[in-house]
Amino acid sequence: MPSVRPVIIAGNWKMYKTKSEAEELVNSILAAIAELGNLPCVVLCPPFTALETVVQLVQARGIEVGAQNIDYHDAGAYTGEISAPMLTHLGVKYVILGHSERRQYFGETNASVNLKLKASLKHHLVPIVCVGETVDEREAGLTDAVVSRQVAAALSDVSATELSSLIIAYEPVWAIGTGAVCEPVEANRVAQLIRGTINNLYHKKDFAEAVPILYGGSVKAATIEEQLAQSDIDGALVGGASLKAEEFVPLIQAGCKKVCLTVPKT
Ligand code: 13P
């Protein structure tokens, strides 16, 4: 029987929300979802300064917390950096790696994403690895080459057994914060390409089939249902629409609907 992948709705808050704004947002989300059943896995990824607050607010509520980056060293003289053990110590369970904004503005490379992925696995943080092509790459017909190269590089020298958990987010760069959404059928095709790349790397179809793949890029209530209806899209990594409870809660609700459809009937 094919594995049932979890449905994941993750919010990447980027560099938004002070501690008190984070409290307000989380409390509004918690109040709005209190009565919902069949919740998807909800992962909130605030900035470092709000992580501890958010962990404390959500811990009894089955919601998980993720960071937006790590340094790959465990500790050391790396001014300004944050390590995986510092995060797990706070109760953080996930980490976004290789976001295109980090690749574009902070010199993140496929090689550094690989180092960070290994550090996150070593410390039992679930990596959410972001991949995606720029508009120029898409127009040049390079989407598949770029995405599969990013996936393969992120997983370089990582064995299937080491890779206890992995989430991939397909985030076409041209769709991030632009209102331009990748057609769901096309996003699904790229998700299948990602699964195929993982299968080629590990030669384990069950393993590739079990990796949750999220879509990210201008996700909003009007589009999420069609995105989640795709066979290989297991959830969403949401930027702008995760910053307001009234925009994020409908996305969680869409996740609940997908959970209802994917839970095996007894
Ligand atoms: P938007 O949802 O604002 O397009 O951002 C997507 C994103 O970058 C999530 O990581």
Side-chain angles (χ1 to χ4, degrees):
M1 201 185 90
S3 65
V4 177
R5 295 185 293 267
V7 179
I8 300 166
I9 305 294
N12 174 8
W13 295 4
K14 307 192 179 183
M15 198 176 72
Y16 292 101
K17 304 293 176 188
T18 61
K19 175 179 153 74
S20 55
E21 289 166 346
E23 270 168 8
E24 200 181 317
L25 174 56
V26 172
N27 284 331
S28 305
I29 294 170
L30 291 178
I33 66 171
E35 305 295 323
L36 291 183
N38 288 311
L39 273 185
C41 172
V42 177
V43 185
L44 303 180
C45 304
F48 288 125
T49 46
L51 281 171
E52 189 167 17
T53 303
V54 174
V55 167
Q56 282 165 1
L57 287 172
V58 302
Q59 61 190 357
R61 309 292 291 272
I63 290 183
E64 301 293 355
V65 180
Q68 300 171 19
N69 183 33
I70 48 168
D71 188 276
Y72 63 86
H73 300 93
D74 288 359
Y78 302 103
T79 302
E81 293 300 288
I82 303 282
S83 70
M86 292 171 178
L87 297 173
T88 51
H89 191 76
L90 291 182
V92 171
K93 302 263 176 63
Y94 293 74
V95 63
I96 298 172
L97 296 179
H99 192 282
S100 62
E101 287 151 14
R102 295 216 57 87
R103 294 179 193 257
Q104 187 179 353
Y105 305 127
F106 302 102
E108 192 86 273
T109 62
N110 284 339
S112 61
V113 173
N114 174 246
L115 291 170
K116 292 177 180 192
L117 178 105
K118 289 175 187 165
S120 67
L121 296 173
K122 179 176 162 199
H123 295 287
H124 308 292
L125 271 179
V126 178
I128 304 175
V129 178
C130 300
V131 296
E133 79 289 358
T134 63
V135 71
D136 289 348
E137 288 163 343
R138 175 159 282 268
E139 283 171 1
L142 295 173
T143 298
D144 295 11
V146 168
V147 169
S148 35
R149 190 165 59 236
Q150 288 173 332
V151 171
L155 298 177
S156 173
D157 294 329
V158 180
S159 68
T161 39
E162 282 173 293
L163 203 54
S164 47
S165 52
L166 166 72
I167 300 169
I168 306 262
Y170 171 52
E171 297 207 314
V173 180
W174 48 271
I176 294 178
T178 58
V181 181
C182 183
E183 283 297 317
V185 170
E186 170 60 8
N188 197 52
R189 187 193 69 77
V190 180
Q192 286 169 344
L193 170 95
I194 292 169
R195 242 180 254 300
T197 305
I198 297 171
N199 191 26
N200 289 341
L201 290 170
Y202 293 97
H203 305 290
K204 287 186 182 204
K205 196 153 192 302
D206 288 357
F207 180 68
E209 284 299 318
V211 175
I213 300 182
L214 316 183
Y215 168 75
S218 298
V219 173
K220 45 188 173 305
T223 56
I224 192 168
E225 290 205 9
E226 205 184 337
Q227 286 151 349
L228 295 188
Q230 305 301 315
S231 60
D232 285 80
I233 297 181
D234 306 306
L237 180 55
V238 186
S242 71
L243 297 172
K244 290 184 181 158
E246 65 272 25
E247 291 181 22
F248 193 55
V249 170
L251 307 182
I252 298 176
Q253 285 168 324
C256 295
K257 280 194 201 163
K258 187 168 168 93
V259 171
C260 285
L261 293 173
T262 50
V263 167
K265 307 279 178 298
T266 47

